[in-house]
Amino acid sequence: MRSDPTKAPWALKASAWGVIAFLHVPLALIILYAFSAEDKSYVFPPPELTTRWFAVAWAREDVWAAIRLSFEVAAWSTAIALLLGTLAAAALARADFFGRDSISLLLVLPIALPGIITGIALRSAYGTLQIPFSFWTIVIGHATFCVVVIYNNAVARLRRLNPNLIEASMDLGADGFQTLRHIVLPQLGSALLAGALLAFALSFDEVIVTTFTAGQQTTLPIWMLQELIRPRQRPVTNVVAVVIIALTFLPILAAYWLTRSDEPGAR
């Protein structure tokens, strides 16, 4: 008798569910503790459930200030990454010249390096150039790895783009801008949008690079680290963590569906 190739062995299924539990049970606990009535430590199971910590977090101006700063940083970092990453991808996708692979490696290196190395390097550069810490030093720091996300998505899509479409457009009398608008961008749009959503999510909850580039400013992840050392603030921190999970989960899910819809056989 032959085994059904469409059915995975039970051990493989159990392993898959084990990995999912390993990844997501901690997130489920954070969500549970956000409703715990205990205000000093993590007690499982919670002695009582309550929603009052959501009202406390909602009323705190420092929470909203941190959220606004993180949102603005993520938006600007993503915008800069979209511009630079797309231009870099357009330059390297189809052109063949000496050193192209080395340049491509240098472009993806920032996301491969540990965040602490990138943070120290940026802090040293700011100090050497005598650039004071500000909103823009955080944006530049985040853009260094956001560019990589956009570049990887854009270059992969451009290499799959049929060159005959561009040639046909030019043969039919379209200029470079018209070809870009009507041929290239429609083909590239979902890849850029998926990359932008993922870059925004990465920037929104980034903490290591931010620590070295923020100065006295407090983004949401930095605020959470500061609050965790105060035992009575842990429930509020858990509520904010739930907000971060929601805000980062949605763009990552959207990016997943956008990239999945472009895979062969997905439609």
Side-chain angles (χ1 to χ4, degrees):
M1 295 179 65
R2 294 183 179 180
S3 60
D4 189 348
T6 62
K7 294 184 177 180
W10 68 267
L12 187 59
K13 293 180 180 179
S15 299
W17 281 110
V19 172
I20 292 174
F22 175 78
L23 293 174
H24 295 285
V25 165
L27 297 179
L29 289 175
I30 289 295
I31 296 173
L32 176 63
Y33 287 138
F35 294 91
S36 174
E38 175 62 44
D39 64 347
K40 295 180 181 180
S41 60
Y42 297 113
V43 177
F44 185 85
E48 186 180 352
L49 298 180
T50 179
T51 59
R52 69 187 181 96
W53 302 118
F54 287 83
V56 173
W58 184 272
R60 289 185 55 169
E61 179 57 32
D62 57 336
V63 174
W64 288 106
I67 291 176
R68 284 193 297 269
L69 179 60
S70 289
F71 185 89
E72 291 171 0
V73 168
W76 276 102
S77 301
T78 302
I80 294 172
L82 273 173
L83 176 62
L84 299 181
T86 304
L87 291 176
L92 298 177
R94 295 191 177 276
D96 189 9
F97 56 89
F98 177 77
R100 186 185 70 168
D101 292 340
S102 298
I103 295 175
S104 181
L105 176 62
L106 291 174
L107 282 170
V108 301
L109 189 60
I111 205 169
L113 290 174
I116 191 170
I117 302 299
T118 302
I120 292 174
L122 288 167
R123 190 179 185 92
S124 300
Y126 294 153
T128 300
L129 298 175
Q130 297 183 348
I131 299 175
F133 292 115
S134 66
F135 170 85
W136 293 107
T137 58
I138 308 176
V139 170
I140 293 172
H142 288 199
T144 58
F145 56 83
C146 289
V147 166
V148 182
V149 177
I150 302 297
Y151 168 78
N152 282 337
N153 277 29
V155 77
R157 181 61 55 82
L158 286 172
R159 287 173 178 169
R160 288 166 48 191
L161 179 62
N162 189 345
N164 293 330
L165 294 175
I166 298 177
E167 294 177 2
S169 175
M170 303 297 284
D171 288 342
L172 291 173
D175 57 26
F177 178 76
Q178 290 173 322
T179 301
L180 174 66
R181 178 184 175 186
H182 296 289
I183 302 298
V184 177
L185 287 182
Q187 298 289 326
L188 195 60
S190 60
L192 291 180
L193 182 56
L197 291 171
L198 183 55
F200 184 92
L202 291 174
S203 173
F204 190 86
D205 61 7
E206 210 294 320
V207 62
I208 300 177
V209 173
T210 309
T211 302
F212 288 92
T213 59
Q216 300 300 316
Q217 300 190 85
T218 303
T219 61
L220 191 57
I222 299 297
W223 177 89
M224 294 181 67
L225 285 177
Q226 295 173 348
E227 294 297 307
L228 280 175
I229 64 176
R230 305 172 184 174
R232 291 188 179 274
Q233 299 302 321
R234 286 176 181 172
V236 178
T237 306
N238 292 332
V239 170
V240 177
V242 172
V243 174
I244 290 183
I245 292 173
L247 290 177
T248 55
F249 174 75
L250 292 177
I252 290 175
L253 181 64
Y256 167 76
W257 281 108
L258 285 171
T259 54
R260 183 176 180 273
S261 64
D262 293 320
E263 293 177 358
R267 296 177 181 175

